[in-house]
């Protein structure tokens, strides 16, 4: 008799608050070798993706004895809704409203692993959330967690696509579950809604245009794309908001994913003035902190320009003296958009330029002065 069955694992997972569980073969990713090569050749991969294709399709690099993958999903479709009262509010992806999901999922997968280990001798596991090169969505698809939507996300009939994914690699064989066919049909609402046309064709996403990546990308953001960011300061939910499957998806009561420090995290002025300590307090417990304070402030500066919010001008001026060259450059850029031909502002940027040593900041400041001079 088997030491533990799939049904027992699914039942325990449900008891500890995991919404969905499925099983996949570790070989299920091998078929994506050419897909990944083609994506790379077309320039659709982004800088945070692992370049070594073998690492993306080989779970055995993480657990050499792996015989199955247990895929899990947890809905973050909480009943809470955020009301963006004023233009001074930046938008944060729903996935980062509450506490860092990596922590929440890891705890649940640890419990699930311990449960299996309590039933079976010599079981080895490795659990992963998002912080590894493996193709997570493809694993979830093969494990029957959901089907691929044209926006490249996994959609579950009951929970929609607002689901966090995790995987347990295990050295024990389980019969794989059956993948589900797409149910998008003739719908193309996500493709139409995408502000940057990042869904280049159904199921194919150009990550370099996708705002979920752009908002966490280091350095400069191309001007045309920055405009499309609107007030987004972390991530993008637009294609998910457009999806009819999310409109009728089940809501969950999960206090850990409800934002408790709502106002400071969304208040653009507060973000622009934020110290290291305040960043650690306000953003630290959430997944939106992983790329650091400067990127969130850069995005807040861009949001101020996109909303033409004059109350941002004074805090942005202070950033001309920031420790970060990225922010010194972006503050000059923003002032040139928010302060039409203002001689005092030109003088302030000129003064900053005299002191400036960083090439990027210098270039942004010089361009800003020219723009302000008209
Ligand atoms: S996350 Fe935003 S930018 Fe990316 S594909 Fe969806 S709508 Fe487009
Ligand atoms: S919006 Fe329509 S096309 Fe896009 S994922 Fe949802 S159902 Fe599919």
């Amino acid at each position: 008799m088997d030491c533990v069955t799939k049904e027992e694992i699914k039942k325990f997972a449900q008891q500890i608050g995991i919404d969905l569980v499925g099983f996949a073969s570790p070989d299920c990713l091998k078929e994506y070798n050419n897909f990944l090569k083609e994506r790379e050749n077309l320039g659709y991969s982004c800088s945070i993706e692992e370049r070594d294709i073998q690492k993306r399709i080989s779970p055995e690099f993480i657990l050499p004895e792996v015989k199955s993958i247990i895929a899990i999903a947890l809905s973050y479709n909480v009943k809470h809704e955020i009301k963006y009262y004023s233009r001074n509010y930046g938008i944060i992806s729903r996935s980062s409203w509450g506490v860092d999901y990596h922590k929440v999922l890891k705890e649940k997968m640890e419990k699930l692993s311990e449960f299996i280990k309590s039933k079976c001798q010599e079981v080895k596991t490795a659990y992963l959330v998002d912080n590894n090169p493996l193709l997570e969505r493809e694993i979830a698809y093969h494990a029957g967690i959901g089907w691929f939507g044209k926006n490249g996300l996994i959609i579950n009939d009951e929970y929609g696509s607002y689901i966090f994914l995790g995987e347990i690699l295990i050295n024990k064989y389980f019969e794989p579950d059956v993948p589900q066919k797409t149910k998008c049909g003739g719908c193309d609402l996500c493709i139409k809604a995408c502000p940057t046309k990042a869904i280049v064709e159904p199921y194919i996403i150009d990550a370099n245009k996708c705002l979920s990546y752009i908002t966490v990308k280091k350095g400069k953001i191309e001007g045309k794309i920055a405009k499309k960011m609107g007030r987004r300061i972390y991530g993008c939910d637009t294609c998910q908001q457009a999806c009819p499957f999310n409109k009728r998806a089940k809501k969950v009561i999960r206090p850990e994913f409800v934002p408790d420090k709502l106002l400071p995290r969304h208040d653009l002025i507060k973000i622009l003035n934020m110290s290291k300590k305040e960043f650690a307090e306000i953003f630290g417990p959430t997944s939106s902190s992983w790329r650091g304070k400067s990127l969130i402030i850069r995005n807040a500066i861009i949001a101020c320009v996109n909303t033409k919010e004059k109350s941002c001008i004074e805090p942005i001026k202070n950033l001309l003296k920031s420790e970060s060259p990225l922010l010194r450059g972006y503050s000059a850029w923003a002032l040139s958009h928010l302060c039409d031909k203002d001689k005092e502002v030109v003088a302030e940027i000129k003064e900053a330029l005299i002191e400036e040593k960083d090439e990027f900041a210098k270039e942004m400041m010089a361009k800003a002065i020219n723009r302000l001079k008209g």
Side-chain angles (χ1 to χ4, degrees), residues 206-327:
D206 180 352
N208 292 300
K209 286 187 186 163
C210 177
L211 296 176
S212 288
Y213 164 64
I214 300 284
T215 54
V216 299
K217 177 189 141 143
K218 286 192 174 159
K220 194 177 173 186
I221 296 174
E222 200 198 322
K224 270 194 301 197
I225 299 266
K227 257 192 190 162
K228 304 278 184 191
M229 279 168 60
R231 286 191 287 152
R232 295 174 186 82
I233 54 170
Y234 185 81
C236 172
D237 288 337
T238 302
C239 57
Q240 299 199 76
Q241 285 162 347
C243 181
F245 284 89
N246 282 335
K247 297 215 162 90
R248 53 180 184 252
K250 182 176 171 177
K251 293 275 182 189
V252 292
I253 298 169
R254 200 149 270 156
E256 57 269 50
F257 297 142
V258 172
D260 59 341
K261 289 185 176 167
L262 171 63
L263 297 181
R265 274 213 307 139
H266 292 260
D267 184 332
L268 293 177
I269 308 290
K270 193 133 201 145
I271 293 170
L272 296 173
N273 288 322
M274 195 165 55
S275 67
K276 271 187 197 156
K277 189 168 168 270
E278 284 165 331
F279 174 74
E281 278 168 16
I282 298 169
F283 283 88
T286 78
S287 60
S288 56
S289 64
W290 73 288
R291 295 292 262 180
K293 173 173 153 261
S294 297
L295 291 200
I296 293 281
I297 298 184
R298 174 202 61 190
N299 296 346
I301 294 174
I302 293 172
C304 289
V305 170
N306 287 339
T307 55
K308 301 188 175 35
E309 188 47 58
K310 300 283 182 197
S311 58
C312 298
I313 291 174
E314 285 311 312
I316 288 177
K317 276 186 190 172
N318 295 335
L319 289 169
L320 282 171
K321 297 192 180 81
S322 161
E323 280 175 10
S324 154
L326 178 76
L327 298 183

